[in-house]
Amino acid sequence: MTRYLRVLGLFWGTAIAAELEYRVNFILAALSSLGNLLGSLFTLFLFYRTGYSFHGWKWEEALVVLGVFTLLQGFSSTFLVPNLNRIVRQVQEGTLDFVLLKPISSQFWLSARSVSPWGLPDLIFGLVLVGYAGTRLGIKTSDYAIAAVPIVFGLGILYSLWFMLGATSIWFVKIYNVTEVLRGLLEAGRFPMVAYPTAYRFFFTCIVPVAFLTTVPAEAMLGRVEIGWVIGAGVLALGLFLISIGFWRFALRFYTSASS
């Protein structure tokens, strides 16, 4: 574990140093994140401006969901996109050979090799939005701590889904459209699940588990989640993570290296 932490520090140190050569990108990323957030707030405002509200969700409570979604978006931009989207290029160029020869887990290398500071604005905006809504609702510090558990589970679920999609590039080299489809489906997490018809709620809970990414953590923060949902999120996160490990090992059996 110590060796992996030391390697992770080297990975992230060099990645941040390289990214900071283009500091204007941070301003552009911040403006883009702010624009996306304002667009989401405006869409949510269109629902609530006439007094309408999602069943059981006040305006501030819906803001908590949007804040959690923004946090997940920042996590994706910071840790997932810089790494997992490159798996396709690794396979195309044959540089995956060098990864597999390294004396560390190839899944760890592919998942943690780089980090992008351009996702930090989303993380900051998400925290600000959650903090503002929490202040209006009187959310306690203990509630934030409890909500951190399903949020971590949600991060694990998101990572596992993204990694397994990236691993399919061993069979289907051009999968950029597939990852965009996943990102599009995850956009449903901007709003509480009650905002959707029953069939959609089933789909976003049992097929693509968007509900476990945003709605369940938000309800935990509001102190009204059932413990079964949190346990279910934990089981799902652990199960998908183990499946992602097994799926990667299975996929490597079909990998044809650049030198063969």
Side-chain angles (χ1 to χ4, degrees):
M1 180 62 71
T2 303
R3 181 165 66 97
Y4 275 85
L5 290 176
R6 187 165 58 250
V7 170
L8 188 63
L10 292 173
F11 280 169
W12 290 2
T14 55
I16 292 175
E19 292 288 352
L20 289 180
E21 294 180 6
Y22 309 95
R23 300 180 184 180
V24 177
N25 286 354
F26 184 80
I27 299 176
L28 297 177
L31 292 175
S32 176
S33 298
L34 181 60
N36 289 334
L37 180 60
L38 292 176
S40 298
L41 287 170
F42 178 72
T43 303
L44 193 62
F45 172 74
L46 292 179
F47 286 104
Y48 282 85
R49 67 186 179 87
T50 58
Y52 171 83
S53 63
F54 301 131
H55 180 67
W57 291 84
K58 298 186 296 185
W59 164 254
E60 291 82 2
E61 294 172 340
L63 287 181
V64 173
V65 177
L66 181 57
V68 174
F69 171 82
T70 307
L71 284 172
L72 290 176
Q73 201 169 39
F75 171 79
S76 299
S77 300
T78 304
F79 300 104
L80 300 186
V81 173
N83 291 294
L84 304 186
N85 280 4
R86 292 182 180 179
I87 297 177
V88 179
R89 192 172 65 189
Q90 298 275 3
V91 175
Q92 286 179 327
E93 298 177 355
T95 52
L96 183 59
D97 293 9
F98 303 107
V99 177
L100 297 176
L101 291 174
K102 297 183 184 299
I104 59 174
S105 166
S106 58
Q107 182 169 349
F108 171 81
W109 197 98
L110 292 169
S111 302
R113 175 63 183 85
S114 184
V115 64
S116 173
W118 316 138
L120 292 180
D122 275 329
L123 292 172
I124 295 171
F125 292 149
L127 289 174
V128 169
L129 193 56
V130 169
Y132 167 77
T135 301
R136 296 290 299 272
L137 294 168
I139 296 177
K140 301 177 182 178
T141 304
S142 58
D143 295 324
Y144 289 117
I146 293 172
V149 176
I151 287 177
V152 171
F153 292 155
L155 297 179
I157 292 170
L158 185 60
Y159 160 77
S160 298
L161 291 174
W162 207 306
F163 184 82
M164 285 189 286
L165 275 180
T168 61
S169 62
I170 289 180
W171 294 284
F172 314 104
V173 178
K174 297 181 179 180
I175 63 164
Y176 295 107
N177 291 336
V178 178
T179 57
E180 287 303 315
V181 169
L182 175 62
R183 295 180 69 172
L185 291 173
L186 296 177
E187 291 289 321
R190 293 177 185 269
F191 309 114
M193 284 297 105
V194 296
Y196 303 100
T198 303
Y200 287 86
R201 291 202 296 269
F202 174 82
F203 179 81
F204 288 127
T205 302
C206 301
I207 308 301
V208 181
V210 177
F212 292 100
L213 302 181
T214 56
T215 300
V216 171
E219 287 188 325
M221 199 176 297
L222 297 172
R224 64 189 190 196
V225 70
E226 296 180 7
I227 188 64
W229 284 102
V230 178
I231 294 174
V235 171
L236 182 62
L238 179 60
L240 286 176
F241 179 69
L242 293 176
I243 290 173
S244 72
I245 295 174
F247 185 73
W248 176 243
R249 292 175 178 173
F250 173 75
L252 287 179
R253 298 178 184 178
F254 299 87
Y255 175 63
T256 303
S257 68
S259 59
S260 63

